[in-house]
């Protein structure tokens, strides 16, 4: 089929490359001429494993091309995919549909008859109706359909998510438009991908509901991790134990410093905005979002609480800046809040990320950028693992011990092998696991950083229950001076 993709961002590019690889003839359009030029040279604007190879293959065999002018492509296209950004408005989180409507106007101007307009961008429920109305007003005679086909692409695994999807959602108001979109995915359906046909508004709602549910799952497991720390249980075991229940499932139960990225924070804000518009209470979603925001800052305080003495003398190495591994995306990354919290206190911070350095240099001030992990670690008092890159998991603790000045490690992704790191003399603090009693048991009020948490404008999200009856309060421990 002849397909035009409007938008060569993350979703547009992955969709264009994969649809071309499925045998369609795809033209990917972007108004950013520099980006299109770079793509024609084979340079990817984002880091996504496997994407460059598919783009190279499909441009070479003539199935994929890149253009800035939509007129020619839309005059041929049987389907036009809208894959543009829907950034949140700063004041109220409402999704800004400016790019979506601009793409719809291009379609209205240039499309041939019997075109199917496919919305892949994440848009508020009812946007399909608005797109339809806009095109209808501009081209009353045009025969067209508008279909919602949301994307469920995880950064870092987007190609696999596209080619082996859990499901393909096709939300249409007419059978022919829905059938056309289903036909685009016929190869994937033959390989076993379920195609769910729904009304258009339901499809739009599915995307928000899926992201909201996953965000709730993450905030839930992160709070259970705090509970495990307070009561000396192990979150790894707890996550396995509940994940084996088929009603819960094992995925998305990895605790961490909070979720980030381009989707969850933005989509939850937009969903809450839509809910407010119709006076619907979405308290679970609201709470998941608030818990996550508080958690990112609480991680910074957690590290701060381990520093005794003059914080200006303390050198903190932060490994991992992107919001998760296998991406160069730093949007809403927990590392940003952790670094900001420590910077505010005056700590000396060195940072490194395998892929995010270029973006990080534009986003973070007042830190030293290390091109290599080892340079980042040299003479550090405290190490913070903020992103779960494989190369960090593979660090040799004995070598790290030779580089660092101190021995305190916050593994906020639980990727380091605890036995090896503790055997190498490190005071390793993991998420959702009480530290070994020898180092952590003390008789005291709740830890100082927890009182700080209560005073935080973000709210007392991480206060602890009273000490167990034996008088020992198991927490992250009293403030400690980093080992010299
Ligand atoms: C998400 C959705 O998964 C995808 O379907 C949607 O279309 C776009 O948004 P993405 O933002 O790329 O994808 O990342 P994802 O892998 O879902 O992770 C989101 C955040 O949750 C990351 O910060 C990640 O580190 C965190 N996470 C994820 C955890 O902390 N623990 C987990 O078990 C899983």
């Amino acid at each position: 089929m002849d397909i035009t993709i409007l938008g060569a961002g993350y979703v547009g590019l992955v969709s264009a490359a994969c649809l071309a690889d499925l045998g369609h003839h795809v033209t990917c359009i972007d108004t950013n001429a520099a980006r299109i030029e770079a793509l024609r040279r084979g340079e990817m604007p984002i880091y996504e494993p496997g994407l460059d190879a598919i783009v190279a293959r499909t441009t070479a065999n003539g199935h994929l091309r890149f253009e800035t002018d939509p007129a020619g492509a839309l005059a041929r296209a049987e389907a036009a995919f809208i894959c543009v950004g829907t950034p949140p408005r700063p004041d109220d989180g409402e999704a800004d549909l400016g790019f979506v409507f601009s793409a719809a106007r291009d379609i209205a101007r240039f499309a041939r008859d019997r075109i199917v307009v496919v919305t892949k961008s994440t848009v508020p429920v009812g946007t399909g109706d608005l797109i339809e109305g806009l095109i209808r007003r501009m081209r009353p005679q045009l025969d067209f359909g508008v279909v919602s086909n949301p994307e469920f692409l995880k950064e870092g695994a987007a190609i696999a998510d596209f080619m082996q999807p859990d499901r393909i959602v096709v939300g249409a108001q007419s059978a022919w438009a829905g059938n056309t979109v289903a036909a685009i995915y016929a190869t994937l359906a033959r390989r076993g991908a379920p195609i769910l046909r729904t009304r258009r508004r339901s499809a739009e709602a599915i995307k928000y509901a899926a992201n909201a549910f996953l965000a709730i799952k993450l905030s839930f497991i992160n709070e259970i991790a705090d509970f495990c720390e307070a009561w000396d249980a192990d979150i790894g075991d707890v996550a396995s134990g509940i994940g084996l229940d088929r009603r819960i499932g094992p995925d998305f139960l990895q605790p961490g410093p909070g979720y980030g990225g381009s989707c969850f924070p933005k989509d939850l804000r937009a969903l809450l905005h839509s809910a407010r518009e119709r006076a619907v209470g979405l308290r679970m979603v609201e709470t998941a979002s608030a818990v996550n925001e508080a958690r990112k800052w609480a991680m910074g305080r957690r590290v701060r609480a381990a520093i005794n003495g003059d914080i200006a003398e303390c050198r903190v190495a932060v490994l991992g800046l992107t919001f998760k591994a296998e991406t160069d995306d730093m949007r809403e990354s927990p590392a940003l809040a952790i670094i900001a919290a420590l910077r505010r206190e005056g700590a000396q911070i060195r940072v490194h990320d395998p892929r995010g350095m270029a973006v990080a240099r534009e986003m973070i001030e007042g830190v030293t950028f290390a091109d290599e992990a080892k340079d980042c670690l040299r003479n550090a008092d405290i190490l913070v693992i903020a992103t779960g890159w494989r190369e960090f998991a593979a660090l040799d603790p004995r070598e790290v011990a030779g580089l660092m000045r101190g021995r305190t490690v916050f593994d906020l992704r639980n990727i380091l092998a605890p036995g090896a790191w503790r055997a190498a003399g490190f005071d390793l603090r993991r998420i959702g696991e009480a530290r070994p009693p020898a180092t952590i048991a003390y008789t005291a009020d709740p830890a100082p950083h927890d009182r700080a948490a209560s005073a935080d404008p973000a709210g007392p999200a991480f206060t602890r229950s009273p000490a167990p009856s034996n008088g020992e309060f198991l927490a992250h421990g009293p403030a400690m001076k980093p080992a010299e």
Side-chain angles (χ1 to χ4, degrees):
M1 200 175 289
D2 197 308
I3 294 172
T4 295
I5 304 275
L6 296 162
Y10 186 78
V11 172
L13 207 45
V14 170
S15 305
C18 291
L19 289 172
D21 216 26
L22 290 173
H24 299 296
H25 289 275
V26 180
T27 308
C28 186
I29 309 283
D30 202 290
T31 48
N32 182 338
R35 172 170 289 220
I36 291 297
E37 276 310 313
L39 282 164
R40 285 177 177 159
R41 289 193 301 272
E43 294 164 20
M44 298 301 108
I46 49 164
Y47 171 68
E48 180 61 38
L51 180 63
D52 47 358
I54 300 186
V55 169
R57 182 162 68 233
T58 50
T59 46
N61 69 17
H63 278 269
L64 176 62
R65 50 180 155 169
F66 296 100
E67 305 279 351
T68 49
D69 182 2
L74 284 170
R76 307 186 289 272
E78 297 160 84
F81 282 67
I82 299 179
C83 299
V84 294
T86 51
R89 289 184 200 278
D91 44 341
D92 58 4
E94 183 183 3
D96 183 341
L97 295 176
F99 298 121
V100 171
F101 293 141
S102 156
R105 278 192 292 274
D106 278 344
I107 294 168
R109 269 184 215 114
F110 305 119
R112 49 157 254 189
D113 238 3
R114 294 291 275 180
I115 191 167
V116 178
V117 180
V118 189
T119 313
K120 241 190 202 314
S121 299
T122 301
V123 292
V125 177
T127 302
D129 302 24
L130 300 177
I131 294 172
E132 190 174 305
L134 185 154
I135 298 175
R136 175 84 52 231
R137 277 192 302 281
M138 285 179 69
R139 285 272 299 276
Q141 307 306 325
L142 185 72
D143 188 5
F144 71 102
V146 177
V147 174
S148 168
N149 169 224
E151 55 88 12
F152 303 100
L153 307 174
K154 294 187 292 294
E155 292 187 23
I159 305 295
D161 282 349
F162 195 100
M163 292 302 204
Q164 295 116 40
D166 289 346
R167 77 304 207 184
I168 296 164
V169 176
V170 176
Q173 299 302 95
S174 73
W176 81 263
N179 290 344
T180 306
V181 177
I184 292 173
Y185 294 105
T187 308
L188 299 181
R190 273 197 300 278
R191 291 180 197 157
I195 296 192
L196 179 70
R197 302 280 295 262
T198 68
R199 285 170 53 227
R200 193 166 58 206
R201 285 186 179 225
S202 307
E204 291 167 339
I206 284 169
K207 172 62 195 245
Y208 281 107
N211 276 359
F213 187 86
L214 291 170
I216 289 169
K217 203 171 179 188
L218 287 178
S219 281
F220 170 80
I221 202 67
N222 283 336
E223 286 203 316
I224 294 296
D226 286 345
F227 179 84
C228 288
E229 284 171 24
W231 285 96
D232 191 19
D234 186 338
I235 191 63
D237 293 340
V238 174
S240 304
I242 64 173
L244 284 168
D245 185 326
R246 271 176 297 186
R247 294 167 302 176
I248 297 173
D251 296 332
F252 255 67
L253 288 177
Q254 175 71 35
Y259 60 75
S262 64
C263 287
F264 285 176
K266 165 179 87 75
D267 292 350
L268 262 62
R269 270 178 232 138
L271 174 61
L272 288 169
H273 184 274
S274 294
R276 278 194 301 275
E277 276 191 330
R278 295 273 161 112
V280 180
L282 288 183
R283 282 183 296 163
M284 304 275 286
V285 180
E286 224 163 321
T287 304
S289 179
V291 164
N292 191 65
E293 194 50 36
R295 184 169 186 82
K296 297 193 271 187
W297 292 93
M299 291 297 122
R301 286 196 300 276
R302 185 178 280 209
V303 178
R304 169 66 183 98
I307 304 168
N308 201 1
D310 187 358
I311 189 164
E313 297 296 318
C314 182
R315 298 173 185 172
V316 182
V318 178
L319 287 183
L321 301 171
T322 52
F323 80 97
K324 64 174 188 178
E326 298 301 333
T327 176
D328 59 359
D329 197 338
M330 291 207 40
R331 282 175 285 183
E332 312 244 6
S333 174
L336 294 173
I338 295 165
I339 290 168
L342 291 170
R343 263 194 66 209
R344 203 165 51 191
E345 301 275 347
Q348 301 172 37
I349 304 172
R350 274 176 102 84
V351 302
H352 171 75
D353 189 277
R355 290 280 170 185
M357 294 299 272
V359 187
R361 281 179 211 275
E362 288 169 19
M363 292 179 79
I364 309 174
E365 287 178 348
V367 302
T368 307
F369 293 95
D371 287 331
E372 302 287 334
K374 284 176 190 161
D375 288 342
C376 187
L377 292 167
R378 222 175 294 283
N379 291 324
D381 297 304
I382 294 181
L383 164 60
V384 179
I385 303 275
T387 309
W389 287 97
R390 268 194 293 270
E391 44 261 73
F392 301 156
L395 284 169
D396 178 350
R398 286 163 306 184
E399 197 183 342
V400 175
L403 291 167
M404 282 178 64
R405 189 166 74 166
R407 291 288 176 273
T408 307
V409 176
F410 286 88
D411 179 4
L412 304 182
R413 300 285 182 167
N414 289 1
I415 55 167
L416 304 180
W421 280 76
R422 289 187 177 130
F426 283 98
D427 171 16
L428 176 68
R429 306 170 190 208
R430 288 157 52 83
I431 297 284
E433 183 187 280
R435 292 164 57 212
T439 27
I440 61 162
Y442 68 104
T443 310
D445 287 339
H449 69 285
D450 293 323
R451 283 200 294 272
S454 311
D456 192 277
F462 296 95
T463 50
R464 292 182 189 287
S465 50
S469 56
N470 64 4
E472 288 181 346
F473 186 82
L474 304 179
H476 307 298
M480 286 174 41
K481 187 171 171 51
E484 294 299 323

